[in-house]
Amino acid sequence: MSDFTMRIDGREVPAARGQTILEVAGNAGIEIPTLCHHEQLEPHGGCRLCIVELDFGEWTRLVVSCVYQAKPDLEVRTRSGKVDKLRKIILELLLAHAPDSELLKELAAEYGANRTRFEQEPSFCVHCGLCVRYCAEVKGAHAVGFIDRGVRKEIAFLPEIAKEVCEDCKECFPLCPTSYAQAAYVLMDALSTR
Amino acid sequence: MIKRTVDHTSVDEIIDRYDGEKSFLIQVLLDLQAEQHWLQKDALSRISERLEVPLMRIQHIATFYKAFSLVPKGRHQVHVCTGTACHVRGAGRVLHTVEELIDIRPGETDLDLKFSLETVNCLGCCALGPVIEIDGKAHGKVTSGKTAEVLKGYE
């Protein structure tokens, strides 16, 4: 079902129309780090960790591979000086919010990110939206969602719905890169008495 | 917590104005906010039911926009401009006077639900500074004395 080929890290790989670079790479066994991607969900482009460099010969361009559509004859680099530098900064920014996330710590070690570079401001949520989107798109339950905006944006479970559906589901907990979804649920459960 | 009897008729009436069309969600919320000065949870549940929009989504929108409030607001919204021009012309004194007169801080509502106070960054009429805006009507070149006079005119 491959419509054309493109090059990723110097390898010729098959790709189909409508696929994103991330999907093409995944099928070819080339790993690109990401926090907000999930096979069953619409592409989100939230964490920006899957950033890759496109080589057009004279110039290059940085794109987010989970939302960028594959095209014939693309020359993609999943690791390069620019890409690594950006991923390092993104990780450092995320670590300011979730300094003890195992997943982030592993990635930080790989990219040499310093977890104390930015002032620690643990909100634990990195706004990947996995729990919110999974609950809405896959489960259709809408038990968890975002509230507020900007620096105050956070996830919140809606007690009325969560009480009905979450106990038997909890499928969003393992998706969370920081375990905050679970924490938010437990907190909501403890605070709502109904 | 303020408990009021659930009155769906006024909510339903607003929804009917827009034929229960879900794309008018924000307009429905704006109308409700204008009528009741806040968005009660029961009302949001009703809107969710009638417009077939998940309550979570409504909550996201209601907390996203500053125009909406999930706690009761006063009948009159007092906005004191603290933008640069107004600040230089003495907005601090005006704000202090308003705080004294209605005995609330910015972001708060008085016990009679008469006034809610907010500071804003610019109302776009710097030549009139210092400006206070009450229910959308701008009062320019206000002084402490004039502020008291203006506030007296609201019931």
Side-chain angles (χ1 to χ4, degrees):
Chain A
M1 52 165 260
S2 87
D3 298 332
F4 51 86
T5 63
M6 50 190 267
R7 286 169 75 81
I8 302 182
D9 291 341
R11 266 177 60 193
E12 199 79 27
V13 294
R17 235 173 286 284
Q19 278 185 315
T20 62
I21 294 178
L22 187 72
E23 284 168 336
V24 173
N27 290 342
I30 299 166
E31 211 177 303
I32 297 176
T34 168
L35 292 177
C36 69
H37 179 76
H38 189 281
E39 278 177 2
Q40 288 171 273
L41 303 177
E42 289 290 311
H44 182 57
C47 72
R48 318 306 273 185
L49 263 188
C50 64
I51 198 158
V52 293
E53 193 171 11
L54 302 183
D55 194 333
F56 294 100
E58 308 250 298
W59 52 288
T60 67
R61 184 175 165 197
L62 292 157
V63 299
V64 180
S65 65
C66 71
V67 289
Y68 196 91
Q69 303 239 319
K71 286 178 202 161
D73 304 323
L74 270 187
E75 175 86 40
V76 181
R77 277 200 294 267
T78 64
R79 296 289 293 257
S80 73
K82 272 187 187 170
V83 167
D84 284 15
K85 194 176 158 195
L86 276 168
R87 285 193 190 147
K88 174 172 170 276
I89 294 173
I90 292 168
L91 284 166
E92 284 167 340
L93 288 164
L94 293 177
L95 280 161
H97 287 289
D100 293 316
S101 158
E102 292 302 324
L103 189 58
L104 285 180
K105 279 200 281 192
E106 265 169 46
L107 286 165
E110 190 178 339
Y111 289 92
N114 174 4
R115 48 197 283 268
T116 54
R117 175 170 173 190
F118 295 107
E119 198 182 330
Q120 299 289 293
E121 206 181 305
S123 58
F124 308 106
C125 181
V126 293
H127 297 166
C128 68
L130 277 176
C131 54
V132 173
R133 291 179 294 132
Y134 189 84
C135 196
E137 290 177 33
V138 177
K139 307 299 286 188
H142 301 277
V144 59
F146 284 115
I147 54 168
D148 223 317
R149 63 172 159 168
V151 292
R152 284 191 300 275
K153 184 176 178 180
E154 59 179 337
I155 58 161
F157 282 85
L158 202 62
E160 291 86 342
I161 295 172
K163 292 260 160 185
E164 309 248 314
V165 298
C166 291
E167 191 58 42
D168 300 325
C169 172
K170 295 184 176 171
E171 284 164 32
C172 61
F173 294 178
L175 300 178
C176 182
T178 70
S179 310
Y180 183 67
Q182 185 165 3
Y185 173 75
V186 173
L187 190 65
M188 176 283 300
D189 198 34
L191 289 175
S192 60
T193 47
R194 262 195 288 176
Chain B
M1 200 181 120
I2 296 177
K3 195 78 191 163
R4 291 188 186 171
T5 45
V6 187
D7 182 14
H8 282 328
T9 48
S10 58
V11 179
D12 282 339
E13 194 194 299
I14 293 171
I15 296 169
D16 290 337
R17 263 179 235 165
Y18 301 98
D19 296 328
E21 186 62 52
K22 71 168 78 168
S23 55
F24 282 100
L25 172 62
I26 289 182
Q27 205 53 52
V28 169
L29 294 177
L30 281 170
D31 285 10
L32 187 65
Q33 174 78 37
E35 259 174 46
Q36 306 188 348
H37 309 297
W38 67 304
L39 304 176
Q40 300 181 60
K41 188 150 192 179
D42 293 324
L44 294 185
S45 301
R46 180 68 179 169
I47 293 171
S48 162
E49 213 173 88
R50 293 256 343 247
L51 299 190
E52 291 171 354
V53 178
L55 186 54
M56 196 65 242
R57 189 163 172 71
I58 298 181
Q59 190 174 301
H60 186 189
I61 292 165
T63 53
F64 186 92
Y65 294 103
K66 250 194 140 178
F68 301 128
S69 171
L70 298 182
V71 292
K73 288 273 179 189
R75 293 189 296 282
H76 305 293
Q77 315 300 318
V78 183
H79 294 151
V80 178
C81 181
T82 54
T84 312
C86 290
H87 173 79
V88 170
R89 292 168 181 235
R93 276 196 301 278
V94 173
L95 178 61
H96 189 70
T97 310
V98 176
E99 286 178 347
E100 291 275 288
L101 284 170
I102 46 182
D103 201 23
I104 51 172
R105 305 284 152 263
E108 295 177 350
T109 300
D110 65 353
L111 286 174
D112 305 331
L113 297 180
K114 187 172 167 189
F115 291 116
S116 288
L117 177 62
E118 294 283 350
T119 58
V120 291
N121 291 325
C122 188
L123 291 167
C125 48
C126 304
L128 294 177
V131 177
I132 61 173
E133 187 190 71
I134 304 177
D135 295 341
K137 187 179 187 314
H139 301 266
K141 296 204 159 74
V142 287
T143 55
S144 295
K146 194 173 168 190
T147 306
E149 224 169 89
V150 169
L151 285 176
K152 244 183 259 167
Y154 289 89
E155 246 335 295

